[in-house]
Amino acid sequence: MKRDCYQKTLFDDIETVGQPRKKEIAVTFSDAIISKFQNYKLDDYIKDVEVNGLEYTWSYICEYVLTYGENTDFLNVKNFGEMYEIGLAIQDKIQKKNNGQYYTPEDVALVMSQWFDSLDGENVCDVACGTGKLILTYLDFIGRNRAMELLEAGKVFLYDIDFVALNICKTAILLKYGKDLQDKIHDIAGDFLSARTALPENCKVISNPPYAAIQQVGRDWTDTKVLNDSRELYSCFMEKIIEQSNASVIITPYSFISGSKFYSLRTILNQHTGEIYSFDNVPGNIFCGRKHGIFNTNTSNSVRAAITVVRKDNSDGFRLTPLIRFKSTERKELLQCKMLESFLSPKRQKISQSSPSYYKCFKELQPLYDRIQEKAGNHTLSELVSKNGEYTLSTASTCRYFTSAFSGLMNRNGLTVLHFDDERKFDFAYCLINSSFAYWHWRLYDGGITYPVSLLLKIPIIYDSLTEDDHAFFKETTAEMSSKAHEFIIKKNNVGVQENIKYPRQYRDRINQRFFKILNLKVDNSTMDLVHSNMALKVSV
């Protein structure tokens, strides 16, 4: 049965949850207005937005460039995205931030476009298109002839709740490919999650959906488990896109990969196949701090993102990259399709109740991961911890490049304290947390800002495999590290005193090698450097 696509022309009455109805603005050009736009500058634009508002200003800009052409100095389609950001900063920056909009950088848009082009789908849809970075990049990538064929056949669909941004997007396409395409581009203004809005049949979708918690459920949204479990806009967009399209490329936060509230979304992904590329935001990040005050310019706080490529051709599961950490100097070389694909693990993952999360593993470490799972079974660190044991260790609940354990307490906020009633268990846990394995576990299943204690306690352990010689090693190593720990205290005073311990690398390597011996594996210490490095293309620790 063919789905109907609920459409309205751009300035017809549009009813969206929490927003007033919009009316078409009558645009007329006097000689004075034409003269102004011929010499239009940034100061003119700022004044127009301040006096007339964003909607009114952009109605005139879009109509002017379509009628009289661009002003090559300023009023040019290549500047439209940044101009719109400036306007939002002036008029509506708080609402824009709450709506969770992050603008797709050019290099990311190109990578997504290349993957998108390889997917099956007759109709091309950009969901949450904004001012058009993704769709414009894709049309440019496939070349003018193919782009014109798509547009003339009426196979391009644009969706956004922000009808001003949608108008800018459509205007940019018309400027580049011809005003006679006005009635052939499907511009759907309104709430994408509304049951009245549907994707066309036989379509593929490219999207950068909004990233924000759902404050109010739309009155005509479809009531789904993903909606009720996650209460996140981006996951609801993902669900609808995946369910209604042949294939898609979507950039979102990476939290759906392992977050418990996104389990129902992952069960939907089980019915499909594809790839998930996940990115850290230190030291470099995919979404840089925004200009013009729209977002916090502290780039270290920008979102940790994932690009998900979804295909419906089978249900083999997904291949994942590790959490890719990169320096800004590596960005150009890294953000290439073939390069990113080289990070994918060969193993496809499907989630289940017993394995409810995807894990982000380096392909080089996949054999080690598999061996640990085989040897540990269902045994985790939680089995060794007691409620009020006499042996106490503490570890910082935030980590960036390593985890460390300290006998007793550290002077800091954000401290996880574990108790043990057996000295052997304490020694083992002390060494485990100071090895690469505890840190790697965090990178596999989280890698955000904090190390949740619930995740820490799920570290797989091989305690039952230990020999007396192993116990003696852990006892000796713990005693040596504890006696010297005060020498390796590092302090930050940005928010009070924040202590942590950074032991010399020799201890980490020594403990790692003991675990490799227990696992009956020969692994070079440099292999584990992959999980600690701040670079993607070469190891640096």
Side-chain angles (χ1 to χ4, degrees), residues 264-312:
S264 54
L265 176 62
R266 294 194 291 274
T267 63
I268 292 174
L269 288 171
N270 268 358
Q271 304 165 36
H272 308 289
T273 191
E275 297 80 38
I276 302 174
Y277 305 83
S278 57
F279 302 88
D280 205 340
N281 67 5
V282 291
N285 50 77
I286 291 297
F287 289 102
C288 302
R290 301 312 307 163
K291 301 175 183 178
H292 315 305
I294 297 176
F295 299 105
N296 187 343
T297 55
N298 180 353
T299 56
S300 66
N301 290 333
S302 60
V303 68
R304 289 170 170 85
I307 300 174
T308 304
V309 181
V310 184
R311 291 179 291 275
K312 278 190 175 178

Side-chain angles (χ1 to χ4, degrees), residues 218-229:
R219 64 190 179 198
D220 61 349
W221 291 7
T222 301
D223 187 25
T224 70
K225 188 166 178 56
V226 171
L227 167 63
N228 290 302
D229 289 349

